[in-house]
Amino acid sequence: MAIPKERYVVTIDSSVRTKDDLFSRITDTAYLGYSSFNGWDAFNDMLLGRLETSDILIEILNEDLSGLTARDREIYREILADAVREFPERLRLL
């Protein structure tokens, strides 16, 4: 694998208390096309769009997801799992 032009490491920790905090943590680190957006569908679209069109590697370390609701944790994990399957060389879970 060639070295990507962009490389980001995002750490999700206990300070992430809501899905909006989660969106901000990721977009503040690895710009996904918008500075803010609402909803899981928009997050998924922006993440997949960025992975598809960019020479990028995003590595995500999920240290502590306890601040998110159980439903938000489930949706977040599903989105990441799908993205890793589709773009295994551009998104890694640490």
Side-chain angles (χ1 to χ4, degrees), residues 43-58:
F43 173 75
N44 187 52
D45 290 346
M46 293 300 104
L47 178 62
L48 293 178
R50 184 78 157 100
L51 293 171
E52 183 176 1
T53 61
S54 301
D55 184 8
I56 192 170
L57 172 60
I58 302 174

Side-chain angles (χ1 to χ4, degrees), residues 7-36:
R7 181 172 181 262
Y8 304 98
V9 177
V10 181
T11 301
I12 308 302
D13 57 27
S14 62
S15 67
V16 173
R17 308 295 300 163
T18 67
K19 69 181 178 184
D20 290 328
D21 290 346
L22 177 68
F23 298 159
S24 292
R25 178 69 54 93
I26 294 172
T27 59
D28 288 351
T29 305
Y31 179 68
L32 298 183
Y34 292 97
S35 60
S36 66

